[in-house]
Amino acid sequence: MTQFSDRLWSEAVQDVIRAGERMDQRGWVPATAGNLSRRLEDGRIAITRSGGHKGFLAVPDVIEIDPAGRPIDPMQKSSAETLLHTQLYAADPSIGAVLHGHSVAATVLSMALAGSSLTLAGYELLKVFEGQSTHDTAIDVPVFDNDQDIARLATVVAPRLGAMPAGYIIRGHGVYVWGRDMKMALARLEGLEFLLACELERRKS
């Protein structure tokens, strides 16, 4: 590995660690929940290993996988949901980071919702999502039923790829959000989580 490659890898790992800390501070990755990844400029993918607490990540907790989701080191184990990350990277070469969290709002709203999407409308913060320039709009966030068979879940998600500016929700589970880099992915995650929290509050009244 060249010095340049070493630097790229180190930067990606630190991006993942900082994102985990930020998500943990907001209660979006309780216990060992969630997974985070970052695609490097050279195409390599850094992702959190299986079972680690995302608020206390260290360098060894971020591993390298190939585009198919296989750990480069066969002794390491990535998240069971790795395929949902690699699916996004394969679908859109501009994606540089993918974040998955388990917030209270996403869990409760998606379990209470009977339909296959959640409509967010009229919020100023909708402008954080790609293609939105005004609050006077509406975005449908797809809600997919949870499935322990991740390969099968990925086939359900696939037809909606490219048409989910705010990410998507797995029912009773959590959200998936992405961006061209970690900064954008975090901004979109924070935007979506804020709006989900608003929707949860509105439905209490």
Side-chain angles (χ1 to χ4, degrees), residues 134-182:
T134 174
H135 73 281
D136 189 17
T137 188
I139 289 179
D140 286 332
V141 184
V143 179
F144 301 107
D145 289 335
N146 198 5
D147 192 337
Q148 297 305 302
D149 186 329
I150 300 302
R152 184 168 57 202
L153 177 57
T155 66
V156 176
V157 173
R160 304 293 295 274
L161 293 175
M164 299 187 283
Y168 65 83
I169 304 170
I170 301 176
R171 197 182 308 277
H173 188 88
V175 302
Y176 268 87
V177 176
W178 50 91
R180 66 172 176 265
D181 52 29
M182 190 62 81

Side-chain angles (χ1 to χ4, degrees), residues 45-65:
I45 299 171
I47 192 167
T48 45
R49 71 164 67 248
S50 177
H53 193 297
K54 308 311 176 294
F56 303 98
L57 294 171
V59 171
D61 297 317
V62 183
I63 67 173
E64 182 182 351
I65 57 171

